[in-house]
Amino acid sequence: MSLRRAADALRKVRDRLQPALGDAGRPHVATYDEVVVYFTFAFGSVPVSPHIVAERLLAAEIAETVTSPVDGEVRMAPRYRDLVRVIRDAQGIADAGRAIADGRLAGWARKHPLLATKIVTSALSRKVGRLSRRLVGGNGEEESGSDDDLEARMLGVIDDVNSSVSHRQALNAIQHAREREMYQAAYLESEPYLRLTLRNVNFGLLGVPDRDEIAQGQRGDVLLLVHRSGVFQLTVAVRMPQGVDTDQLIPQTLAAGVKLGWTEVAEPVLKAASRRGGYDPRRWPGEWLEGIEEGTRWRRIAHADPASLVDLFRLYQDAIGEASGIDPGIEWFCHAVVCVDRLGCCGNEASWTRCHRDELGGILMRYEGYRELRESARRKLPSDSSIRGQDSVVQVVSPSGVDGPDLARLVIKRSWG
């Protein structure tokens, strides 16, 4: 490690621990080491068939997986199924090549009769070769290299698919288990809704400390719930950099206050949203990133005038409406859940609560002027409703400007770094 890196690391540790090591009673703004804000945008349509909406979003490659509340089963997007089929054929053809070289072609044909027929009756080997190389990031042209190299690359793609799907399955499994506790079995058996994971989005935050890679860029999960009543809920998770303080955090709990310096969006989302808005793809801002990732191209847009999370929601809302054929309407609202996993100052619960009660109210109310709150307003702040000693849960309904009246919920796991 270079001296410069060592100095930067020590500086970060000092900045994080100083409030706890110093006089906890000395006035200071609270800091937080691990914070994620979950923004859920709710919008509506006429009653819909969740299955039809889900199938259309999967076919448009906007949705990646779909999960039913009945059994938690995960259905994958067609591109995953197609990719697995192509990989299997490519691996079979590679085996055929080795069988020919070893004089075992007849045995291989008996083992793979359908694939052998395809090879004999078509130029499948060339087609699969070109397609498989494109799917693993090649340019589709003839490439040099051994079968072993191709097989290694195929195995890498399979690992990527498994990793992507397992991540989504983990999210869905957590939601499914919680829903089984919250709702009656008869309600879930009627399959009133479906949960979808959509294409992720990459973005860079503005207005937060630029101390780690989170501020410089992060990948946000985008989740969608489709209810048969016509209610849609789109959730985007935004991680905050380590060491963010209350004054920096409060604006980031408003969807309109989350400013984005740049975004990277998958082509299927951009295409569908552009058709909805009547935009010419040739006039899209930004530029395409090199190569293919997750089976598609990605476009990076640097925002001269910072975009907000509301703009990102509108983009996905247009894409969902266009691909599914529903009218999402013009009305929507947003609520935020602020999850603090680790506090960054004061060192213990009693000191933190004594020093930062007003800031807690400021986060709940999304009000940067929390220092000037009247005492009568402070008394109306909700109490901790958590049933577990190591956590705090407080929530309040508050106006939030452009987002409309909504629910602010703060979940704090009281631990210190």
Side-chain angles (χ1 to χ4, degrees):
M1 178 182 292
S2 67
L3 290 178
R4 182 175 180 179
R5 285 188 177 182
D8 288 342
L10 290 173
R11 191 178 300 109
K12 290 179 181 179
V13 173
R14 181 202 63 193
D15 292 343
R16 182 164 59 87
L17 296 181
Q18 186 60 42
L21 295 175
D23 181 8
R26 183 185 60 191
H28 63 276
V29 180
T31 59
Y32 312 90
D33 282 349
E34 293 183 17
V35 182
V36 181
V37 185
Y38 295 89
F39 294 91
T40 297
F41 299 85
F43 55 100
S45 170
V46 298
V48 299
S49 165
H51 280 281
I52 292 177
V53 171
E55 288 298 332
R56 290 175 177 175
L57 293 178
L58 283 172
E61 298 189 357
I62 293 173
E64 297 279 72
T65 62
V66 178
T67 306
S68 168
V70 175
D71 52 15
E73 180 183 356
V74 177
R75 283 185 291 151
M76 297 185 298
R79 70 182 181 88
Y80 284 121
R81 298 193 295 267
D82 294 343
L83 180 57
V84 170
R85 184 165 54 250
V86 168
I87 289 174
R88 287 174 179 170
D89 283 352
Q91 288 176 326
I93 291 171
D95 290 342
R98 286 191 287 270
I100 292 173
D102 297 340
R104 297 181 289 103
L105 181 57
W108 177 89
R110 286 192 297 270
K111 185 178 179 181
H112 304 280
L114 294 179
L115 187 56
T117 302
K118 289 181 182 179
I119 294 176
V120 171
T121 59
S122 71
L124 179 64
S125 60
R126 292 191 298 273
K127 176 182 177 182
V128 170
R130 290 193 300 269
L131 182 56
S132 62
R133 283 190 289 269
R134 179 169 62 84
L135 288 171
V136 298
N139 57 16
E141 298 176 356
E142 293 297 327
E143 298 177 351
S144 59
S146 66
D147 290 338
D148 291 338
D149 180 61
L150 177 60
E151 184 175 3
R153 296 174 67 189
M154 288 296 180
L155 291 175
V157 173
I158 292 174
D159 288 341
D160 290 342
V161 172
N162 290 337
S163 175
S164 179
V165 173
S166 63
H167 171 68
R168 290 168 172 81
Q169 286 176 327
L171 291 176
N172 290 327
I174 294 171
Q175 291 170 332
H176 180 66
R178 185 72 179 111
E179 287 163 357
R180 301 296 293 186
E181 297 174 356
M182 294 173 58
Y183 303 120
Q184 293 183 354
Y187 173 69
L188 295 178
E189 290 297 328
S190 70
E191 205 168 43
Y193 61 85
L194 293 175
R195 289 192 178 275
L196 292 76
T197 56
L198 306 187
R199 291 280 190 175
N200 292 327
V201 61
N202 303 325
F203 54 84
L205 293 176
L206 297 176
V208 294
D210 189 10
R211 296 176 182 171
D212 56 25
E213 66 278 3
I214 292 177
Q216 298 168 10
Q218 61 180 282
R219 169 157 293 194
D221 291 321
V222 183
L223 310 176
L224 180 68
L225 182 145
V226 181
H227 195 276
R228 63 191 174 196
S229 65
V231 173
F232 290 67
Q233 291 185 337
L234 184 137
T235 300
V236 181
V238 180
R239 293 179 297 156
M240 296 296 145
Q242 183 179 17
V244 65
D245 65 32
T246 300
D247 294 334
Q248 296 162 336
L249 177 60
I250 290 176
Q252 306 296 326
T253 61
L254 289 165
V258 179
K259 301 302 181 182
L260 309 176
W262 57 268
T263 51
E264 291 175 356
V265 183
E267 185 174 17
V269 176
L270 281 175
K271 277 188 173 180
S274 294
R275 289 196 301 270
R276 185 77 174 186
Y279 303 126
D280 185 350
R282 293 172 297 181
R283 297 183 179 275
W284 284 347
E287 58 186 8
W288 293 113
L289 299 180
E290 292 185 5
I292 300 295
E293 184 176 347
E294 296 182 354
T296 190
R297 295 189 299 173
W298 292 72
R299 195 166 185 89
R300 182 183 177 96
I301 303 171
H303 304 288
D305 295 323
S308 74
L309 201 65
V310 173
D311 298 318
L312 190 61
F313 156 68
R314 290 289 198 182
L315 180 74
Y316 273 84
Q317 185 186 36
D318 285 346
I320 292 166
E322 177 65 21
S324 66
I326 61 101
D327 180 5
I330 60 174
E331 296 184 353
W332 58 275
F333 68 89
C334 174
H335 69 263
V337 177
V338 183
C339 295
V340 180
D341 191 57
R342 190 169 63 185
L343 300 166
C345 65
C346 294
N348 61 74
E349 178 182 353
S351 296
W352 196 94
T353 303
R354 182 176 63 253
C355 292
H356 304 299
R357 174 64 182 173
D358 290 349
E359 295 175 53
L360 188 65
I363 295 174
L364 282 171
M365 299 176 67
R366 269 79 68 79
Y367 180 50
E368 296 179 72
Y370 59 86
R371 294 177 179 86
E372 287 77 40
L373 282 178
R374 292 178 180 271
E375 184 58 34
S376 58
R378 291 190 176 93
R379 288 197 297 268
K380 293 179 181 178
L381 291 174
S383 59
D384 189 344
S385 61
S386 175
I387 63 174
R388 302 200 315 166
Q390 66 269 37
D391 298 336
S392 292
V393 178
V394 285
Q395 57 189 26
V396 65
V397 176
S398 63
S400 57
V402 70
D403 295 353
D406 60 358
L407 174 68
R409 191 163 186 257
L410 176 62
V411 179
I412 298 179
K413 180 179 179 182
R414 292 192 295 266
S415 60
W416 280 261

